[in-house]
Amino acid sequence: MKRSFLFILVIIILQLSCKENTITPPDNKPPGWQEDIPWPSLADSPWPMFRCDPQNTNRSKFSGAMTGEIEWVYEGINSQAGFSIYEDVIYQSSSLQNDPFLYAITKAGELKWKVNIGVSYSTPTITNNGRIILVASQKLVSIDTTGQILWEYILPACAGQRGINLDKTGNFYFTCENVLYCVSDAGILLWSIQNTSANVWGSQLVFSPDGNTIYIQGIGITAINIVERTIKWIFSCRGVNDLLVDNQGNIYFHSRTDSLALSLFSLKPDGNLRWSYLHNDENDFPGPVTIDYAGNLFFRGGSNIISLDYSGNFRWQKTIIPSEPIACNSQNELFITTALNGITITKLDNSGNLIWEVSTNDNSSTAGVPIICEGRMYIPSWDSNKIFSIK
């Protein structure tokens, strides 16, 4: 009887250790508490698309690297695109004319396959049925996990798409030359909307939590009801940098005020201003915003990482200049990459305290977004053509 009890206890412990190590919500959730929004059409993966999810949160439900040790380095992909993960395989495209391939790299750092798709700057979007979707050489391409090209949809000149978003039923959305396109999972154009306003559209798209509204970055922000295929509202401002949407449907972005000072803005779902935080970064637009499970916000402002709470109040800042968006793990810890004479990866706790730091000690001078998995993370270096696995 005693042995049976011990056996059952061991099984329970093993099962618990294999689950996603997500933070436990408090009994009384505070305002702004975030949860992973169910998205049936998206792959159940640690990082299946640009900025991790259709809301661009830069937050993973997995732990990421634990000790800060470099596990392996894969060399050979010259890319300015991010990568995605599905069933322990990394997918990244090349951005060179003489290397027009999508690469599949195993979690052991070995080439599984590559397929010629054309030059791409697009982070792959991976669907729930294992389809890999990205823009390459003026076409939308669908590929299966064996490297077989399933279909191609020819586009106008818009090869600079950073990532393709998708609705909850599996249709794909992207902008090109001031037109929003909706293409089915079979590669068939379903509908499109022409932008006739002065708010020139950019390439970044994010979805509301219910999946019925898509927000388009441009000179301002355009909200489109994809069910009725109509424009809901336009928020005019002096340029928008990197949208993010939270669980409550609030929208976050950097822009300039009328006095040209830089601020982080938060809009309500109806397009009205919720709050703004003036940080007046004297450099170019600050880095994209990341949100943790508690609703805290993190972004680069000048030479610092700045953290605000859900209501836009200052929490802390730390002198680090991230190369790319800050990534957040399941425990609300932060991963930051900086690049100068090698890539430095820094792990901070939620209060900005250092947990560990590691450097690649090579000639890398540009780093991509840290991609978080369970127990490790992957970082691309664009100029040195490398992928680093950190455990």
Side-chain angles (χ1 to χ4, degrees):
M1 183 70 178
K2 190 174 182 180
R3 289 182 178 178
S4 298
F5 174 77
L6 290 173
F7 177 77
I8 293 170
L9 183 61
V10 168
I11 293 298
I12 292 172
I13 292 172
L14 287 173
Q15 287 177 338
L16 289 174
S17 68
C18 293
K19 291 184 178 180
E20 297 156 7
N21 189 22
T22 52
I23 199 164
T24 303
D27 293 334
N28 296 316
K29 297 177 184 177
W33 186 264
Q34 305 294 301
E35 296 178 351
D36 298 316
I37 299 170
W39 215 263
S41 59
L42 190 63
D44 183 11
S45 156
W47 205 280
M49 63 178 292
F50 180 74
R51 304 279 165 81
C52 195
D53 52 47
Q55 288 70 44
N56 284 195
T57 65
N58 297 306
R59 183 186 69 237
S60 174
K61 57 187 177 183
F62 292 87
S63 65
M66 303 299 289
T67 62
E69 301 174 64
I70 297 177
E71 183 180 25
W72 51 256
V73 181
Y74 181 87
E75 299 189 47
I77 307 176
N78 189 307
S79 179
Q80 295 180 34
F83 47 65
S84 302
I85 297 171
Y86 180 65
E87 294 183 343
D88 291 331
V89 177
I90 302 166
Y91 296 97
Q92 186 179 35
S93 59
S94 171
S95 304
L96 284 183
Q97 291 285 352
N98 61 357
D99 184 30
F101 296 97
L102 174 70
Y103 287 80
I105 310 296
T106 70
K107 68 175 184 179
E110 300 173 347
L111 178 65
K112 184 178 182 182
W113 52 256
K114 64 179 183 178
V115 59
N116 190 331
I117 59 168
V119 173
S120 177
Y121 300 88
S122 180
T123 300
T125 297
I126 305 178
T127 66
N128 62 348
N129 58 355
R131 301 296 183 253
I132 305 159
I133 310 295
L134 71 167
V135 172
S137 297
Q138 293 185 217
K139 58 185 183 291
L140 185 66
V141 186
S142 175
I143 305 154
D144 68 18
T145 53
T146 69
Q148 179 73 30
I149 295 177
L150 303 175
W151 52 258
E152 297 178 346
Y153 177 82
I154 305 301
L155 304 170
C158 58
Q161 293 283 340
R162 292 185 293 172
I164 299 298
N165 217 326
L166 75 170
D167 63 24
K168 291 190 176 184
T169 61
N171 300 315
F172 306 110
Y173 294 79
F174 55 93
T175 56
C176 184
E177 296 182 340
N178 250 1
V179 178
L180 173 67
Y181 293 87
C182 175
V183 174
S184 75
D185 60 358
I188 300 170
L189 178 65
L190 299 178
W191 53 270
S192 62
I193 293 179
Q194 174 74 48
N195 177 20
T196 58
S197 73
N199 177 33
V200 177
W201 288 347
S203 64
Q204 189 193 11
L205 311 173
V206 294
F207 268 102
S208 61
D210 63 8
N212 293 331
T213 303
I214 196 166
Y215 303 102
I216 306 177
Q217 166 194 354
I219 295 176
I221 297 173
T222 303
I224 294 179
N225 184 318
I226 65 167
V227 179
E228 300 176 356
R229 303 174 192 176
T230 57
I231 293 177
K232 295 173 63 176
W233 50 260
I234 296 174
F235 183 86
S236 299
C237 53
R238 295 176 178 269
V240 171
N241 188 50
D242 288 291
L243 298 173
L244 179 151
V245 174
D246 68 17
N247 270 64
Q248 293 74 23
N250 302 310
I251 306 132
Y252 303 86
F253 60 95
H254 294 285
S255 187
R256 296 188 184 276
T257 63
D258 291 338
S259 63
L260 300 183
L262 274 165
S263 293
L264 176 65
F265 289 84
S266 177
L267 303 184
K268 299 175 184 177
D270 61 7
N272 289 311
L273 182 65
R274 181 168 162 252
W275 53 256
S276 64
Y277 175 84
L278 177 68
H279 54 78
N280 201 23
D281 181 0
E282 296 179 356
N283 302 315
D284 294 331
F285 269 98
V289 184
T290 296
I291 189 167
D292 69 11
Y293 282 101
N296 299 312
L297 306 165
F298 309 89
F299 60 93
R300 175 180 63 81
S303 300
N304 299 297
I305 292 174
I306 298 174
S307 177
L308 309 180
D309 67 16
Y310 177 70
S311 299
N313 300 309
F314 177 83
R315 295 181 66 225
W316 54 263
Q317 70 179 34
K318 190 176 183 69
T319 303
I320 299 179
I321 307 176
S323 301
E324 281 291 328
I326 300 162
C328 178
N329 72 1
S330 58
Q331 299 301 303
N332 289 342
E333 297 165 331
L334 309 175
F335 295 95
I336 300 107
T337 56
T338 56
L340 182 64
N341 299 322
I343 298 172
T344 298
I345 303 100
T346 303
K347 184 178 183 180
L348 303 178
D349 69 16
N350 198 259
S351 298
N353 300 309
L354 180 67
I355 298 176
W356 52 253
E357 193 171 76
V358 63
S359 177
T360 60
N361 295 315
D362 65 350
N363 63 342
S364 301
S365 61
T366 55
V369 183
I371 305 301
I372 295 174
C373 297
E374 186 58 35
R376 49 180 48 81
M377 64 189 299
Y378 304 106
I379 299 170
S381 173
W382 296 335
D383 60 331
S384 63
N385 307 344
K386 296 176 181 177
I387 296 174
F388 297 92
S389 174
I390 314 292
K391 63 179 183 179

